[in-house]
Amino acid sequence: MKTVIVRPERCVGCWQCRLACAVEHSQTKDLAAALGEGVRPRPRLRIYPGRQHLAFPNKCRHCEPAPCQAVCIAGAIHRTPRGTVDIDPGKCINCAMCAMACPFGVLTYASLYKAPDHRAVALKCDQCPEREAQGRVPACVEACKVGALTYGEWQETQEDKGRVLAQAVFASLQSPRETEPSLPDNLRVWRLLS
Amino acid sequence: MRYVIIGASAAGQAAAETLRQWDPQGSITVISDEAQPLYSRPLLTYLLSGEIRPEKVWLKGADYFQEWGFEARLGEEVVQVVPADREVRLASGRVCPYDRLLIASGARPKVPGIPGEDLEGVFTLRNLADWRRLESGLEGVRQVVVVGAGAVGLKTADALMRRGFEVTLLARGAQPLSRMLDATAAAMLMDAVATMGIDLRCHSWPVALKGDGGRVKKLILNSGEELPAQAVLFSVGVTANVDFLEGTGLGDPGGILVDRKLRSRDPRIFAAGDCCRPHHLLSPGQWPYHIWPAAVDQGRVAGANMGGGSRLYPGLLPQNSLSLRGFKIISGGLGPHDTKDCEIVAELDQSRGHYRRLAYREGRLVGLTLVGAVAHAGIYFQLMAQGLPAPEPVTPGLLWG
């Protein structure tokens, strides 16, 4: 399955993905027009201060099996044919059971223009189905300028990451041990806050 | 192998589906006293309020049982389980022999046992039939008293309020949800309940119901006060459906005692869901905890074990989510009464209506209450469920996103 791959070590916390995500999930899909919409569009991913990195992008992993799907008492969460976990705003009752189950804390609850009466429903990454239909990558990936969010087959990425890690371990065994560079104060404090 | 499952709700259905994966050939019989396939009981209060239409409660289609190859005995009541003969006897006279039996019969609402409970206009809300009875009984009603301020009581009171009834909600203790919430969180909840227009009475319980012509007219409180009411709804807890086990020594009204594999004392009989008393993750002892996700979890474990697997149920982690018109509370782990020896980190953001209470014991997170901002609840529950060393409590106020 193709998915958004997160590389937190590259993220600089610029929030452009959040902006792009909110625009993509607006009614007009246009930044200027989205600002004037009756129901404020919301981003579906968050950026936290990271423990090992500057910033940590957090979004739905589309788990298999999905804990949120198992606990949904309204039957609103389902798996789509393309493999993503999706929430049906017509069925969601805003009960927050999924927030209780999600081990990554990726859900938000807010009004949605697609929901009946614009009521509040559970929101999370849907991996931009309309963009995929047009052969485009998800909005957050397109917006990311530093390669922290990329789009690809997760199995391939896992293999790549494994290879990189193995090479790094091998290289570190061969080179003399370096001392860790001291960090500027503001970065150190930022990391402590996570 | 012949499998029989008593109950076709959350636990029974999860078990049947898991069992089908473990044993594609075995015959699986599902018995339910309700005549329809799986629907969502937690949605009944939403149905009552009118937030959802009746067709939205169905979680499975009409041909669900056929699709999975289950033999369905719907609308049939179990009268007796005979472990010696390995038989389940039904009210219709039919007998279902089994090699492995799962009891997922759930629980039914308790009533306090006060005079006048048999009057017309006295209700409970547990299944679709209850809802239908309640709907037809609400005609001409103006004042409703909801007895019991648990999660169901609160949701029901809110639903009735939305429908335009005058609602009084009775809490036995000093606050609603006393096993889940500390005083601060409860105060926030009580504020929200008051804003909804619900008349919440604490330290109150009914001692009698008075009627006129067989219909309830008023409810008499422990204080002696008389509340006029044309309908009374009890939500004062549930008792396990285990009457058919009488004489077998397997179950009592508290539930069926099970081991880590969710097996009862009879190795051929398993139990899951509201009718069983599982081990708990954070505390010793076994007691029932009635929540849909736990029933699904237990159903899966029991189903796998019935099919020849060897899965251990890790233990129940109490947790619940309450959402009243956008006001959200998620609470779980050890309640305020069990965390007296714990280190408590609590922070309150009054302006935004956010509250967070974390209880730590021996460097592990053991209790959680979130009010308002609940998005990260799942992360805390993972920390609890896996028993991970919890990081130092963070500087207050900085994690509210």
Side-chain angles (χ1 to χ4, degrees):
Chain A
M1 173 195 160
K2 270 196 145 182
T3 186
V4 177
I5 317 282
V6 180
R7 291 186 173 81
E9 68 275 15
R10 294 188 181 178
C11 180
V12 294
C14 70
W15 281 31
Q16 292 208 33
C17 50
R18 278 172 58 87
L19 187 65
C21 182
V23 171
E24 174 62 25
H25 292 97
S26 69
Q27 209 163 349
T28 52
K29 298 194 192 299
D30 175 81
L31 176 55
L35 291 172
E37 281 178 26
V39 179
R40 193 175 134 204
R42 304 280 181 149
R44 313 285 177 94
L45 77 170
R46 290 196 188 92
I47 313 292
Y48 300 122
R51 188 166 270 273
Q52 292 109 18
H53 311 296
L54 193 61
F56 183 80
N58 189 27
K59 62 176 283 300
C60 175
R61 273 81 159 166
H62 303 281
C63 309
E64 168 80 72
C68 56
Q69 187 184 2
V71 302
C72 181
I73 55 172
I77 305 183
H78 56 273
R79 192 168 295 279
T80 62
R82 63 192 190 118
T84 56
V85 176
D86 218 357
I87 302 176
D88 179 351
K91 283 187 176 172
C92 177
I93 51 164
N94 191 21
C95 69
M97 281 282 179
C98 44
M100 202 167 81
C102 176
F104 304 109
V106 301
L107 290 135
T108 38
Y109 300 88
S111 308
L112 180 71
Y113 77 90
K114 279 182 188 167
D117 310 323
H118 295 173
R119 61 172 187 226
V121 292
L123 301 175
K124 68 167 195 66
C125 166
D126 58 1
Q127 224 158 278
C128 301
E130 289 157 41
R131 282 174 154 259
E132 192 181 88
Q134 300 163 1
R136 299 161 72 196
V137 298
C140 56
V141 173
E142 197 177 273
C144 186
K145 308 294 189 290
V146 292
L149 301 173
T150 54
Y151 193 56
E153 293 287 341
W154 66 264
Q155 289 95 335
E156 288 172 16
T157 311
Q158 204 168 35
E159 281 168 25
D160 288 348
K161 278 195 170 178
R163 204 173 304 123
V164 170
L165 182 69
Q167 282 166 357
V169 169
F170 186 67
S172 75
L173 288 175
Q174 293 202 320
S175 65
R177 214 184 168 82
E178 284 174 40
T179 50
E180 202 157 282
S182 65
L183 288 167
D185 265 0
N186 58 345
L187 284 190
R188 200 176 44 77
V189 170
W190 182 244
R191 284 178 190 185
L192 279 179
L193 294 179
S194 61
Chain B
M1 200 67 117
R2 293 165 305 176
Y3 305 99
V4 173
I5 296 174
I6 302 177
S9 194
Q13 177 247 316
E17 288 182 8
T18 313
L19 192 49
R20 183 48 86 217
Q21 287 164 2
W22 280 83
D23 187 348
Q25 308 305 324
S27 108
I28 301 175
T29 307
V30 180
I31 307 168
S32 170
D33 58 355
E34 294 190 85
Q36 56 267 330
L38 186 72
Y39 64 94
S40 176
R41 290 207 176 131
L43 285 188
L44 291 175
T45 55
Y46 293 83
L47 197 54
L48 181 63
S49 68
E51 281 167 276
I52 59 165
R53 290 192 305 278
E55 67 266 22
K56 297 264 182 178
V57 300
W58 306 111
L59 294 177
K60 301 287 173 193
D63 50 357
Y64 166 74
F65 294 102
Q66 258 180 335
E67 234 170 70
W68 281 82
F70 302 145
E71 198 178 327
R73 300 244 175 281
L74 300 185
E76 296 222 44
E77 199 185 328
V78 174
V79 286
Q80 207 184 2
V81 170
V82 190
D85 302 339
R86 285 197 257 147
E87 278 175 1
V88 177
R89 297 194 179 140
L90 306 182
S92 59
R94 211 194 295 263
V95 171
C96 297
Y98 65 82
D99 297 310
R100 297 272 183 284
L101 171 67
L102 174 70
I103 302 173
S105 51
R108 61 173 182 274
K110 279 195 275 206
V111 281
I114 54 172
E117 275 169 8
D118 50 346
L119 288 169
E120 221 178 292
V122 179
F123 303 97
T124 55
L125 184 56
R126 178 78 186 174
N127 53 35
L128 265 181
D130 289 343
W131 169 72
R132 291 197 187 103
R133 209 170 72 82
L134 180 57
E135 279 293 335
S136 59
L138 282 176
E139 217 145 294
V141 169
R142 196 163 58 87
Q143 293 145 313
V144 187
V145 179
V146 178
V147 182
V152 178
L154 284 160
K155 286 298 288 182
T156 313
D158 173 40
L160 291 168
M161 204 67 215
R162 283 166 184 250
R163 291 277 296 272
F165 298 103
E166 285 174 33
V167 183
T168 309
L169 178 63
L170 306 184
R172 206 180 171 93
Q175 61 170 70
L177 296 174
S178 49
R179 276 190 305 178
M180 264 173 78
L181 303 181
D182 67 340
T184 315
M188 297 173 81
L189 173 62
M190 285 194 276
D191 272 353
V193 167
T195 318
M196 290 171 203
I198 297 167
D199 178 16
L200 173 69
R201 310 276 189 100
C202 295
H203 301 294
S204 298
W205 61 91
V207 290
L209 303 177
K210 286 274 164 65
D212 182 17
R215 248 200 100 82
V216 68
K217 281 279 173 268
K218 59 191 173 193
L219 177 147
I220 299 170
L221 285 179
N222 54 323
S223 60
E225 191 185 340
E226 293 185 356
L227 292 176
Q230 295 83 52
V232 174
L233 195 139
F234 286 111
S235 62
V236 291
V238 293
T239 169
N241 284 328
V242 290
D243 302 341
F244 48 77
L245 289 178
E246 212 174 280
T248 61
L250 294 174
D252 56 59
I256 302 163
L257 211 58
V258 290
D259 65 8
R260 293 271 176 194
K261 286 184 161 180
L262 300 182
R263 219 167 27 190
S264 72
R265 265 183 230 116
D266 184 322
R268 293 174 189 279
I269 301 181
F270 295 72
D274 289 358
C275 67
C276 90
R277 271 194 284 164
H279 287 274
H280 281 239
L281 196 66
L282 295 174
S283 42
Q286 292 178 255
W287 72 90
Y289 188 79
H290 312 104
I291 184 176
W292 187 274
V296 174
D297 265 358
Q298 290 165 14
R300 288 193 177 145
V301 172
N305 288 337
M306 285 166 79
S310 183
R311 280 190 59 193
L312 297 183
Y313 183 61
L316 201 145
L317 178 63
Q319 47 183 286
N320 211 345
S321 162
L322 178 71
S323 176
L324 296 169
R325 306 192 200 181
F327 174 80
K328 290 194 173 67
I329 294 183
I330 290 184
S331 183
L334 302 183
H337 303 294
D338 302 317
T339 51
K340 297 213 167 79
D341 58 334
C342 298
E343 190 196 340
I344 307 291
V345 179
E347 50 186 4
L348 175 65
D349 182 341
Q350 204 123 38
S351 59
R352 282 197 275 185
H354 293 178
Y355 177 64
R356 173 168 79 157
R357 179 185 185 272
L358 303 172
Y360 293 87
R361 193 169 62 193
E362 290 156 15
R364 303 275 196 279
L365 186 65
V366 293
L368 165 74
T369 301
L370 296 176
V371 182
V374 297
H376 297 133
I379 300 176
Y380 295 110
F381 283 124
Q382 277 299 307
L383 287 177
M384 275 194 238
Q386 297 183 19
L388 298 172
E392 288 287 299
V394 206
T395 329
L398 282 161
L399 273 191
W400 298 122

